[in-house]
Amino acid sequence: MAQKTTMTVDKEFRIAKIDKRIYGSFIEHLGRAVYTGIYQPDHESADEDGFRKDVLQLVRELNVPIVRYPGGNYVSNFFWEDSVGPKEERKKRLDMAWRTMEPNEVGINEFSKWAKKADADVMMAVNLGTRGTDAALNLLEYCNLDTDSYYAELRRKHGEKDPYGIRLWCLGNEMDGPWQMGHKEAKEYGHLAAETAKAMKMMDSSLEFVACGSSNVDMPTFATWEADVLSEAYDYVDYISLHQYFAKKSEDTADFFALTDDLDYFIRSIIATCDYVRAKKHSKKDINLSFDEWNVWYHTHAKDEEDMADKPWRLHPHLLEDIYTYEDAIVDGLALITLLRHSDRVKVACLAQLVNVIAPIMTEEGKNGKAFRQTIFYPFCHASRFGRGYALQPVIRTGKHATAEHDEVTDIEAIAVDNEEAEEVTIFAVNRNVKEAVEFEAVLSGYEGYTVKEYLALEGSDMLAVNSAAEEKVAPVRRTDITIDNNVVNTWMKPASWNVILLGR
Ligand code: AHR
């Protein structure tokens, strides 16, 4: 029998106030994220601007506060000027990143309008691959200024009177990757990032900037890249980016679930690197982390590579349309717990991506096509809705098991979030033990009089179950077999399950 887990939670033991932007997401001009994803004028649910209302409704359900745009790899050859102005005059462009045709029907102004409808801010990325500081400055002026200068005037001429006030800017994308158009060496990129942020801050000193970190933890330049980039750009930027995609390498589900231990190591290494540069520079400011791409991504790799090679220059083809399984949802839940555990330094994170492309929301194309929730929709939705407030540092005693490539994997991974205003505390927990249910006890201190308001869980025995437009096989269940007595919560967590226990007055 698996060892009982005890989680001690004290109201006073705060990690940090969670920055709501930790529940951000990402829309790239890639595959069907934009066209037939968020935008499809001939769809039965399309609004006056051509946006799918069925998709908007699901995006609002996820409560996403910020969306990164327009890439990704796409941004590294993005000519933003082509995406604005009268639609009939816009240039069709080849997108080399994904080898598709970009019609530029949706651009800066349309996306900003969509984000407003989705109740989300825009996190804008500038092209530091094939372009530089000048294009970034012009874009900033176009988006944010109310002056009578050329680009601000151009926006008004395009029908957009009010500036967008975009606060958070990404200085390029994955510039360490040899696949990136305009890939650079660390010092070279660091210098360009510093100069671009410096110039943009001259236009508006209140902006925040994200410098590119490593594309993933396995990059040969990992960590020295961050140290070199920050050595150049430390004073001008606020965040360093992290990207990580999880792939199941064998049939071993337990090993798949252990991948978030590597994520924890990744985050700790980057915090250490930021702090090393801070020490070296005798700086008084911290660089925080923008985990601006994370998700499971592996199901469609092989087919996508083949299609991009054999069928280039298609309009919104099916690319990166991973259909997520039950176990993928559990991995995303684990990733969310890990991000929350580091919420003192991870201030921004983007689930990559939002619609159709490695996404929680999928759409069928066609006039009457349906939109549906993938399995991974649920942990993200729960965390985003119930995970606002202060992350609390728990002490967890739990059993451990070994997997193919990981020793000492804990059974229960968990975090608690205190929403002081609502007088609620939520426990998010995953049972990584794929064979056995685990008895779970949470000992609460500082929450006298709290009762269990709701217990939601994703539970299943078919690790490969998926959702479709026709059937939602993976959806949360409401559990009632839970007790709270003298501030001690007790229940049993099913094997391989995602658990959300909402407590309140
Ligand atoms: O999200 C898909 C792609 O993954 C992005 O374009 C790129 O930044 C990353 O490699």
Side-chain angles (χ1 to χ4, degrees):
M1 199 168 79
Q3 184 190 321
K4 175 177 168 180
T5 292
T6 314
M7 176 185 191
T8 305
V9 177
D10 190 313
K11 194 176 174 50
E12 297 300 320
F13 295 171
R14 287 177 168 176
I15 298 173
K17 173 117 203 223
I18 298 160
D19 191 318
K20 66 174 184 179
R21 297 173 302 174
I22 211 167
Y23 303 116
S25 190
F26 177 28
I27 289 278
E28 178 166 8
H29 280 254
L30 193 185
R32 298 193 306 116
V34 174
Y35 307 105
T36 75
I38 63 169
Y39 176 81
Q40 190 180 339
D42 70 351
H43 191 265
E44 60 177 4
S45 80
D47 68 10
E48 64 289 358
D49 296 308
F51 298 125
R52 281 182 68 150
K53 283 197 271 194
D54 56 347
V55 172
L56 268 171
Q57 197 183 322
L58 291 174
V59 173
R60 286 197 206 102
E61 198 176 317
L62 287 176
N63 208 8
V64 176
I66 194 161
V67 184
R68 185 164 172 254
Y69 178 83
N73 295 339
Y74 174 77
V75 82
S76 290
N77 191 39
F78 179 48
F79 279 70
W80 69 265
E81 302 87 337
D82 296 344
S83 81
V84 296
K87 283 200 181 178
E88 59 287 358
E89 287 170 25
R90 292 191 196 169
K91 291 175 191 154
K92 261 188 169 179
R93 282 275 197 171
L94 297 181
D95 166 34
M96 270 71 73
W98 303 104
R99 307 197 78 221
T100 55
M101 187 65 72
E102 173 53 53
N104 275 313
E105 264 179 64
V106 171
I108 302 290
N109 294 318
E110 291 78 18
F111 186 74
S112 302
K113 199 173 267 179
W114 178 84
K116 205 166 170 197
K117 292 184 186 197
D119 299 323
D121 291 333
V122 176
M123 174 181 184
M124 186 71 80
V126 300
N127 174 359
L128 290 190
T130 60
R131 304 186 83 185
T133 310
D134 53 349
L137 277 173
N138 296 343
L139 175 60
L140 172 61
E141 183 190 324
Y142 184 90
C143 289
N144 279 13
L145 264 73
D146 215 0
T147 48
D148 62 358
S149 50
Y150 178 76
Y151 286 106
E153 192 57 48
L154 187 63
R155 184 196 66 244
R156 282 189 289 270
K157 213 170 115 191
H158 291 159
E160 301 302 328
K161 186 173 153 293
D162 298 325
Y164 297 124
I166 298 168
R167 303 257 65 85
L168 186 59
W169 294 78
C170 301
L171 299 161
N173 178 67
E174 295 191 346
M175 299 307 299
D176 63 323
W179 58 86
Q180 201 69 216
M181 285 176 275
H183 153 72
K184 292 173 179 48
E185 296 304 318
K187 295 248 173 212
E188 184 192 5
Y189 166 70
H191 182 69
L192 177 60
E195 288 305 313
T196 304
K198 186 174 90 185
M200 290 173 82
K201 275 191 176 172
M202 285 172 166
M203 207 180 274
D204 180 350
S205 60
S206 71
L207 302 179
E208 290 195 304
F209 292 96
V210 184
C212 294
S214 296
S215 299
N216 60 66
V217 70
D218 298 320
M219 294 298 289
T221 50
F222 173 66
T224 54
W225 169 271
E226 281 81 353
D228 288 348
V229 167
L230 288 177
S231 296
E232 297 291 320
Y234 201 93
D235 295 338
Y236 302 103
V237 304
D238 305 278
Y239 308 94
I240 188 91
S241 75
L242 293 83
H243 291 181
Q244 187 68 52
Y245 292 102
F246 307 104
K248 191 179 177 198
K249 294 190 198 109
S250 66
E251 294 305 301
D252 188 353
T253 297
D255 200 53
F256 191 30
F257 290 168
L259 288 183
T260 49
D261 289 0
D262 304 342
L263 174 67
D264 191 74
Y265 159 80
F266 183 13
I267 294 173
R268 283 187 287 111
S269 307
I270 297 304
I271 293 172
T273 310
C274 291
D275 292 351
Y276 156 70
V277 182
R278 176 183 158 144
K280 209 173 65 164
K281 287 186 168 285
H282 304 278
S283 174
K284 286 199 165 64
K285 86 168 185 190
D286 277 337
I287 295 290
N288 284 319
L289 277 51
S290 171
F291 214 119
D292 47 45
E293 289 187 31
W294 70 270
N295 203 349
V296 171
W297 174 18
Y298 72 97
H299 296 282
T300 55
H301 273 322
K303 181 165 186 314
D304 288 338
E305 289 301 326
E306 220 177 274
D307 282 358
M308 283 192 289
D310 299 346
K311 302 176 207 157
W313 321 131
R314 291 174 297 165
L315 275 172
H316 47 80
H318 292 252
L319 284 176
L320 281 66
E321 295 198 10
D322 282 42
I323 295 299
Y324 287 113
T325 60
Y326 174 85
E327 62 187 8
D328 295 335
I330 304 298
V331 170
D332 273 8
L334 284 161
L336 284 158
I337 291 172
T338 312
L339 293 172
L340 287 170
R341 204 186 285 144
H342 289 287
S343 53
D344 54 335
R345 296 301 289 271
V346 178
K347 297 294 173 190
V348 183
C350 304
L351 174 68
Q353 298 190 8
L354 187 55
V355 184
N356 286 336
V357 170
I358 42 175
I361 300 168
M362 292 300 290
T363 69
E364 293 179 318
E365 37 196 347
K367 202 174 157 10
N368 314 110
K370 288 198 178 122
F372 66 94
R373 299 172 190 81
Q374 293 237 54
T375 61
I376 62 165
F377 185 96
Y378 288 107
F380 186 87
C381 183
H382 294 156
S384 175
R385 299 206 85 83
F386 306 124
R388 308 280 175 129
Y390 290 91
L392 301 176
Q393 182 67 64
V395 176
I396 301 175
R397 275 213 230 131
T398 187
K400 289 187 177 152
H401 55 270
T403 66
E405 288 187 29
H406 298 82
D407 308 322
E408 308 240 310
V409 178
T410 49
D411 284 347
I412 299 286
E413 284 286 284
I415 188 85
V417 175
D418 182 357
N419 185 338
E420 227 177 5
E421 258 169 60
E423 292 195 287
E424 283 173 357
V425 58
T426 305
I427 295 170
F428 299 103
V430 167
N431 179 8
R432 293 200 279 188
N433 189 323
V434 296
K435 295 196 185 106
E436 290 181 283
V438 171
E439 185 179 2
F440 175 83
E441 193 170 272
V443 182
L444 308 175
S445 170
Y447 297 103
E448 285 67 34
Y450 277 48
T451 57
V452 177
K453 287 177 127 181
E454 192 152 39
Y455 179 9
L456 298 169
L458 282 185
E459 302 171 336
S461 49
D462 180 2
M463 295 297 120
L464 302 182
V466 297
N467 290 347
S468 67
E471 192 184 1
E472 210 175 73
K473 281 193 183 151
V474 178
V477 291
R478 277 208 159 73
R479 293 266 307 261
T480 50
D481 49 340
I482 182 164
T483 59
I484 179 162
D485 190 16
N486 250 336
N487 302 320
V488 179
V489 178
N490 187 282
T491 190
W492 281 80
M493 292 184 176
K494 297 268 163 67
S497 62
W498 161 255
N499 302 267
V500 182
I501 303 171
L502 179 63
L503 304 146
R505 284 188 189 278

